[in-house]
Amino acid sequence: MSKQQERFLAIVNPAAGGGKSAKLAGAALKQLRENGVVVDVIATTGRGSRRRTRCRSVLAGLPPFSCGWRRWHGSRNLERPLGRAKTQERVSLGFLPLGTGNSFLRDFAKEGADASLRALLERRTRPVDLIRLTHSTGELYSLNILSIGFTADVGALTNRYFKSLGPLGYLLGVLVRVAQLKRRSFTLRCDDDIEWDNRRSLFLTFNNSKYTGGNMLIAPDADSTDGYIEFVRWGPIGRLGLLRTLPRLYDGTHVHHPLASRRAVRHVEFNLPVPVDVLIDGEIETLECKSIDILPGAVDVYI
């Protein structure tokens, strides 16, 4: 009996990259098929569609700017929980970075879609970590970043008004939120901490990779293969101080600011009285957060 042929499910967001993805994805899929890769395609049609598609691909929080690839065989259940049983086959995920952000893959390659295509054609993968957010009604998973505070405020505004402008739109969102600046307390503790940390802060980010918002180096020490969450906290900086140091978000030196700190952790527990906006790989959800954990090497990515 011949070995069952490997297939891929391509999740294409035609609106990504200001509509460029709709044109570029077709050519990329054609190239894969011409090289013997069997591909089935699902095109998303809106925010609700993206969420349903992400659930089907197992990875809630899949960045909406990417064409997502998920390896599968036969009629395997696409909605099974991720990493719950050792007997379950591992998930393999690839990206064609055809959108405006493409943050996650910047950790691994600078060639963008060309490097991703080569990895898919050569079946070249590596295990990467996954962040799991447990909230009051379930779980979400993140490959890139979870964040609350200023960064989530910026993400919500950018997605609503400036998404089509790419990195420039994210910068516009930053400037507007600077004018509306909020510095709040998000009570939490990490790993073996006994005391709760309820200090006011500008933002908290829980990172699996270095970049967000395109080329913002929000977590320069993050490593998606080290089994840790890179926790970056920026304290209650004022408007003028924030404006002066905004460029440092693009080279990673903001973590050396006197009001900033970073820490590698495995577990975060929250004590929040109300739901908060959470930035999850480019999308915003309003959630009652309970905890965050790292799942080391939980998914294989074509890189």
Side-chain angles (χ1 to χ4, degrees), residues 23 29 93 108 183 219 286:
K23 299 177 181 178
L29 293 173
L93 183 68
F108 303 97
R183 285 144 293 189
T286 302

Side-chain angles (χ1 to χ4, degrees), residues 133-137 148-149 182 184-188 270-278 285-291:
L133 169 64
T134 302
H135 54 92
S136 59
T137 59
I148 56 180
K182 298 178 181 178
R184 292 156 285 178
S185 173
F186 301 100
T187 304
L188 57 78
F270 293 100
N271 185 15
L272 305 178
V274 295
V276 296
D277 284 342
V278 185
E285 301 282 352
T286 302
L287 302 168
E288 186 178 340
C289 300
K290 299 299 184 182
S291 64

Side-chain angles (χ1 to χ4, degrees), residues 99-122:
T100 55
N102 309 322
S103 302
F104 177 70
L105 290 184
R106 291 180 187 272
D107 283 25
F108 303 97
K110 305 301 181 184
E111 299 90 353
D114 290 338
S116 298
L117 278 171
R118 289 197 300 272
L120 286 162
L121 290 172
E122 296 169 9

Side-chain angles (χ1 to χ4, degrees), residues 185-202:
S185 173
F186 301 100
T187 304
L188 57 78
R189 59 188 177 190
C190 303
D191 292 340
D192 297 327
D193 292 349
I194 297 175
E195 301 294 329
W196 291 97
D197 183 350
N198 58 6
R199 293 173 293 169
R200 293 170 65 234
S201 61
L202 179 67

Side-chain angles (χ1 to χ4, degrees), residues 21 39 68 132 138 177 210 242 272 284:
S21 178
V39 182
R132 179 179 63 203
R177 289 307 192 193
K210 301 178 188 295
L242 178 56
L272 305 178
I284 305 296

Side-chain angles (χ1 to χ4, degrees), residues 187-303:
T187 304
L188 57 78
R189 59 188 177 190
C190 303
D191 292 340
D192 297 327
D193 292 349
I194 297 175
E195 301 294 329
W196 291 97
D197 183 350
N198 58 6
R199 293 173 293 169
R200 293 170 65 234
S201 61
L202 179 67
F203 66 74
L204 309 175
T205 66
F206 307 93
N207 308 272
N208 193 41
S209 59
K210 301 178 188 295
Y211 292 92
T212 191
N215 57 358
M216 298 182 77
L217 189 55
I218 199 76
D221 296 312
D223 181 347
S224 59
T225 64
D226 67 355
Y228 287 93
I229 302 162
E230 180 69 9
F231 174 23
V232 176
R233 179 186 187 275
W234 207 353
I237 192 170
R239 289 182 178 85
L240 288 178
L242 178 56
L243 286 172
R244 288 174 184 151
T245 54
L246 270 179
R248 297 172 66 175
L249 289 169
Y250 290 87
D251 64 13
T253 58
H254 64 286
V255 297
H256 304 302
H257 189 280
L259 289 175
S261 63
R262 50 101 15 217
R263 180 180 178 187
V265 302
R266 295 182 184 273
H267 174 77
V268 181
E269 182 182 0
F270 293 100
N271 185 15
L272 305 178
V274 295
V276 296
D277 284 342
V278 185
L279 174 70
I280 308 167
D281 291 357
E283 292 196 10
I284 305 296
E285 301 282 352
T286 302
L287 302 168
E288 186 178 340
C289 300
K290 299 299 184 182
S291 64
I292 295 176
D293 296 281
I294 192 72
L295 303 179
V299 62
D300 293 321
V301 174
Y302 288 85
I303 297 172

